[in-house]
Amino acid sequence: MVISGPSGTGKTSICEALLKRLPGAVWSVSATTRPMRPGDVNGQTYEFISQEEFEHRRETGDFLETAEYCGHLYGTPRRPVEEAVRQGKFVILEIEVKGGAQVAQKMPESVRIFVLPPNRESLRARLEGRRTEAQAQLRRRLAEADGEIAFARDSGAYNHFVVNDILEETIEEVEQIILKEHAHA
Ligand code: ADP
Ligand code: 5GP
């Protein structure tokens, strides 16, 4: 499953709940060049690596997809995803839209969900409330939101759009989407 949406829309909160609720669900640990922020655990939330290492790994085909977001590089290591899929596990990729479109092409069997905030004000409030970004970075992330939403709609890469108003209801909705897709697979 690919889950995308503007920063602060609630992706991580939804994924944390799904990991607890769905048997066999595993988190794909991305690699990134962004600095660690409060709550990050190296090797768990991300692999934090240098730009040189990222570029080397990208050249050697180590990534399923990569993208630049707000000045930093992000990528999904390919082998852990392929291995987990082979073992019949359910892999969750929380990635931005350009990466989501790459996965849509390479793994058309994936379920791709885009999470929308109820409105712009709540997106800002959630991002501010999380208190993880400095003002400049926060503004930059909010400025990205419209373009991400437009790309998600226009690219056709996402087969489901959900509005994260009440978190518990959104978790339920996403779980139902997954179970339904699984039943049809
Ligand atoms: P993302 O992973 O999309 O950047 P997070 O999951 O970190 O977003 O959520 C951003 C902030 O908003 C967090 O503080 C989280 O607790 C809060 N949040 C998530 N979903 C909701 C919701 N439905 N209503 C209110 N706050 C929410
Ligand atoms: P953050 O810095 O807030 O953890 O993530 C910023 C953005 O990068 C989010 O939209 C997140 O989903 C996305 N992201 C995280 N890991 C990856 C990845 O491996 N590939 C891509 N394309 N995007 C990622």
Side-chain angles (χ1 to χ4, degrees), residues 30 34 37 46 65 67 69 74-76 94-96 99 141:
S30 295
R34 94 151 153 70
R37 68 183 184 210
Y46 286 100
E65 59 74 36
Y69 175 84
Y74 295 80
T76 302
E94 195 237 274
I95 63 178
E96 58 67 71
R141 284 169 174 249

Side-chain angles (χ1 to χ4, degrees), residues 6-13 94 126 129-130 164-167:
S7 184
T9 202
K11 301 179 296 295
T12 307
S13 311
E94 195 237 274
R126 285 178 197 175
R130 197 171 67 187
N164 179 22
D165 192 354
I166 313 283
L167 181 59

Side-chain angles (χ1 to χ4, degrees), residues 84-102:
V85 169
R86 228 187 338 264
Q87 291 172 0
K89 291 187 178 143
F90 181 78
V91 191
I92 300 179
L93 274 62
E94 195 237 274
I95 63 178
E96 58 67 71
V97 287
K98 304 243 170 47
Q102 294 166 49

Side-chain angles (χ1 to χ4, degrees), residues 147-167:
E148 290 174 89
I149 294 169
F151 184 89
R153 291 202 188 283
D154 299 344
S155 65
Y158 292 85
N159 29 30
H160 300 277
F161 288 81
V162 300
V163 178
N164 179 22
D165 192 354
I166 313 283
L167 181 59

Side-chain angles (χ1 to χ4, degrees), residues 1-65:
M1 178 189 83
V2 170
I3 187 158
S4 305
S7 184
T9 202
K11 301 179 296 295
T12 307
S13 311
I14 296 164
C15 291
E16 279 171 1
L18 290 176
L19 283 166
K20 290 196 193 120
R21 284 158 78 141
L22 293 169
V26 290
W27 175 255
S28 161
V29 180
S30 295
T32 185
T33 63
R34 94 151 153 70
M36 288 178 76
R37 68 183 184 210
D40 274 323
V41 180
N42 197 2
Q44 280 184 30
T45 51
Y46 286 100
E47 273 182 76
F48 293 91
I49 62 176
S50 66
Q51 178 142 350
E52 293 69 37
E53 185 179 348
F54 192 102
E55 279 162 4
H56 173 72
R57 285 176 57 175
R58 183 162 58 186
E59 278 158 27
T60 54
D62 200 19
F63 293 124
L64 176 63
E65 59 74 36

